[in-house]
Amino acid sequence: MIPILPLLLLVATPQNVALTENFNTGTFPPTGWSQQKANPASTGWKRHAGSLRAWHEDEPLLVGQCNDLLISSSFSLVGFAEAFGHVDVEIKYPEFLANHPFSQADGETSLLYRSGGSGWVKAWTECRTSPGRSSFTSRVPNQFLGQASVELALLYVGKYAHETWIDVVQVDDARVAPGGGGGGGTQWPNIALPTTFLTAPFTEDFEAWAGVPPSFMALSALKSSSLLPDPEAWCSIAGGTVASSSGVRHLEMGLMPGSSNYHNVRNALVIGIDGAASPGWVLDFDVHDYGEEVHAFDGVWVSSDGQFWIQLLTPWGGYPTTWTTVSGLDLGQAGVPLDGNFYVMFAQEDNYPYANFDGVGVDDVVLRTAAGGGCGLAVTMVGTCPGPATFEIEGARPGSRVMLLYGAPGAHTWNGTPCTGLVLGLSGPKVGASWDPASAVLCLPVRLPSSACGLAVQAVDLDACCAGGVTIL
Ligand SMILES: [Ca+2]
Ligand SMILES: [Ca+2]
Ligand SMILES: [Ca+2]
Ligand SMILES: [Ca+2]
């Protein structure tokens, strides 16, 4: 029997709401809210009568430059260990956003926070390149946690630019938006969780267990179409199929060796980790990719609760078909607290047998302390390679210098100033861009040539000398 019921019960976690607004009734801006317009000719934010949302039009060219803040009532984040802002956003004419790869104007829609009436910090920016409506969840920057007088603002910038509609603005401690949407993590059903937590730091070479996972590990081997256990899914730490990176055993994930019943299977190893010894952790491991195709489930994921998973390493297809070391994957970029119990998942999905045109091997997993407590920098590519795309870089500390590097997947030790000794998750690093961010999120439009596909990108904080996670193009 599959333990679905206990999983469902776990989802009903208590939720503390600091602010919520749906713009349905009463005055506009709502009571306690205000509007700040740089240009008095701008109509600014108003209620869209047809859909009961906040709305900013693409105002006529004659109006000139708009720079309009819709500012919330003050709310308290005292007692919040984590907080998330959820906003339902619709965008029209995204090609008029300044960060669009083929931008025709200077438009921007962003979500900002401030405390005590000064110093706006950007936490989310509209990066979409096609029109649409969805709910976005972004983390409230840590400096606002515990503050009694916080405000958020929706910023519209543009001169005859895009149109934006906003609804259901909520700040709470839940990772998913009201109604279920949101980018605060992905739920993967029926993934087994370990029952204990291994104290970090640790090294795991899979040799000691004779193929039987210890209580801090859990293996899942599922049929992708049903998400039920599949005897032909192969998720094993017993060894003996092909050579390991060390010793005779490693984590093997694929279809069962020898099977010709080709169908997609979903395999996972979840390790329970007790990270109390440090606020930040970095993961190294050896990986052998046998020819994987890209699946959304593929990669390395982190979760604080075993329900909502944050992806740190994207699909396996970019890796060489030999044992390769992935070094310096900063778990801090997941944005979840790491100084307690949490989970790391190695996940694989594909349709051919392990070590036969598909499959992923993992060996020599090392969890070590992150210098400076982890970087928290994450790079997400929106779009495809080759082609126009946008890099979303999240988790930058306002005021710090950030550099975006690219190179072949691998490892490199920084050997000059200012970050001598910093281990990067790519080799032969080249500088793609650098800037002094005024906000925690950046959108960087890029045109990716086919020669860039398969390369790794990584953001580095030059003041903290720490690196974020590696993203494969
Ligand atoms: Ca509404
Ligand atoms: Ca081994
Ligand atoms: Ca795959
Ligand atoms: Ca395949």
Side-chain angles (χ1 to χ4, degrees), residues 1-64:
M1 186 187 151
I2 308 303
I4 292 175
L5 191 61
L7 283 175
L8 289 175
L9 290 173
L10 278 172
V11 171
T13 49
Q15 182 181 321
N16 299 301
V17 176
L19 174 80
T20 189
E21 178 56 55
N22 62 16
F23 308 108
N24 284 0
T25 55
T27 55
F28 191 95
T31 306
W33 289 55
S34 60
Q35 175 154 215
Q36 237 174 49
K37 295 188 288 185
N39 172 359
S42 165
T43 304
W45 291 94
K46 58 190 171 184
R47 177 186 281 120
H48 184 255
S51 65
L52 302 179
R53 291 179 286 175
W55 179 29
H56 203 297
E57 284 196 75
D58 52 343
E59 303 203 25
L61 202 52
L62 272 177
V63 168

Side-chain angles (χ1 to χ4, degrees), residues 98-103 389-391 443-447:
N99 58 33
H100 189 278
F102 303 114
S103 177
T390 301
F391 289 151
C443 302
L444 191 68
V446 288
R447 302 290 306 278

Side-chain angles (χ1 to χ4, degrees), residues 264 291-293 295 350-352 357-358:
N264 272 2
E292 283 278 306
E293 281 73 46
H295 296 85
D350 228 305
N351 63 339
Y352 265 59
F357 298 109
D358 269 338

Side-chain angles (χ1 to χ4, degrees), residues 205-207 244-250 363-364:
D205 62 7
F206 302 102
E207 302 301 321
S244 296
S245 183
S246 69
V248 296
R249 305 180 208 279
H250 63 274
D363 205 352
D364 298 319

Side-chain angles (χ1 to χ4, degrees), residues 157 180 294 408 464:
V157 175
V294 169

Side-chain angles (χ1 to χ4, degrees), residues 194-211:
T195 53
T196 64
F197 297 88
L198 176 61
T199 301
F202 63 79
T203 296
E204 178 56 59
D205 62 7
F206 302 102
E207 302 301 321
W209 316 113

